[in-house]
Amino acid sequence: MSTANLRRHLHETRNRPAGINNRHDVRKDRFLLLTKRWIGGALLAPACLVTAITLIIMLWRAVTRMGFLRSEEFVFFIFGGAVWGLAYLAGLRPVTAYVFGHEFSHLVTARMFGGRIFDWKVSAQGGYVETDKSNTLITLAPYLIPFYTLLIMIAFGIVGLALDMQEAHTVSIWQWTVHLKPSRFLYALVGLTWFFHATYTVKTVIAEQGDLKRNGEFFSMMLIFLINAFLLIALFLAASPSPGLGIAEVARCWWSVASGLLHLFW
């Protein structure tokens, strides 16, 4: 816990009204946190382990049997991630863009659950959303949803209705003629925005965001890891060079790993 958070915690503890721990809402919150802690340890942690092993196995199979590393999808995805990595190392810090995506994810998720938005603010110093609705998905939405990756996929999905994404289109730039495939831009931008999302998710988790504390830090981190691992599997399936590799194959691999670990520890 950081020094600032420790001071705030001590201040709240010393100034807590007498008998507050006996209030119904306080006891309810404590029960929910305890329940989430047990769910995190008993369900989410094993699921995270199985999913991580499954992802590694599927990637290994794709690399050794299907030439995945040479596929156009993987090459341009990694290229986009490398562009972000170089920009970050060069000192680029689009904090305002991240805060906007972070708070807008809270806002949209709150609206999806029927919440009213009273106010919201975005700046390089931080942001907030004031709403009358709160639950686990609303508070953790920015860590579970790669906001800009989702926007890119929606935009290219709309463009794909009128344009063949896999066909090379001839574009004249000054005196040069260039053949461009829209799908390559899609893979590169998905890679760039996903690595952007992953970078700031890790930074925010390390900074001890209040969003994680509301649901219990262990539960929150397990859920964040699990959802992002499933997202990586979905991206892997979408980019897989093998038409036979699908959700059913991943599900069989996941269950096989889970069964193996169950027999190992029991």
Side-chain angles (χ1 to χ4, degrees), residues 219-232:
F219 171 86
S220 298
M221 287 189 288
M222 291 298 101
L223 185 61
I224 290 169
F225 179 88
L226 185 63
I227 297 301
N228 279 278
F230 278 128
L231 175 62
L232 273 180

Side-chain angles (χ1 to χ4, degrees), residues 4-187:
N5 286 335
L6 179 60
R7 285 200 301 267
R8 184 170 63 250
H9 173 73
L10 292 174
H11 173 78
E12 292 173 351
T13 302
R14 291 165 182 162
N15 292 277
R16 184 178 293 132
I20 192 172
N21 288 328
N22 296 322
R23 279 173 35 184
H24 175 70
D25 57 335
V26 174
R27 284 188 281 113
K28 180 181 177 181
D29 288 342
R30 291 176 62 188
F31 174 76
L32 288 175
L33 278 175
L34 182 60
T35 301
K36 288 179 179 179
R37 187 178 301 169
W38 278 102
I39 292 174
L43 297 178
L44 295 184
C48 286
L49 177 61
V50 173
T51 304
I53 295 174
T54 301
L55 180 58
I56 293 171
I57 292 173
M58 300 307 294
L59 284 173
W60 177 252
R61 289 179 183 175
V63 169
T64 56
R65 302 177 188 177
M66 296 179 288
F68 183 63
L69 294 181
R70 297 189 299 273
S71 67
E72 185 176 89
E73 295 86 350
F74 178 79
V75 169
F76 281 92
F77 177 83
I78 292 300
F79 172 76
V83 170
W84 162 249
L86 290 174
Y88 188 81
L89 291 175
L92 181 65
R93 299 290 188 274
V95 177
T96 303
Y98 172 74
V99 173
F100 174 82
H102 184 106
E103 301 303 338
F104 198 74
S105 297
H106 283 312
L107 187 152
V108 171
T109 313
R111 290 292 298 152
M112 288 175 61
F113 281 94
R116 291 186 299 168
I117 307 301
F118 303 111
D119 189 22
W120 71 299
K121 180 182 177 181
V122 170
S123 71
Q125 288 70 45
Y128 62 84
V129 174
E130 292 182 3
T131 178
D132 61 351
K133 195 78 173 181
S134 180
N135 59 37
T136 300
L137 291 179
I138 292 173
T139 55
L140 296 181
Y143 313 96
L144 308 178
I145 304 170
F147 178 75
Y148 291 104
T149 303
L150 185 62
L151 286 186
I152 291 296
M153 296 181 73
I154 292 174
F156 273 85
I158 295 172
V159 172
L161 296 175
L163 193 69
D164 187 348
M165 299 288 289
Q166 297 296 333
E167 182 182 348
H169 298 271
T170 302
V171 179
S172 297
I173 303 176
W174 295 100
Q175 298 178 354
W176 293 278
T177 300
V178 182
H179 301 284
L180 302 175
K181 287 180 67 174
S183 60
R184 293 176 176 175
F185 287 96
L186 170 62
Y187 305 143

Side-chain angles (χ1 to χ4, degrees), residues 227-246:
I227 297 301
N228 279 278
F230 278 128
L231 175 62
L232 273 180
I233 290 176
L235 291 175
F236 166 69
L237 290 178
S240 172
S242 172
L245 183 60

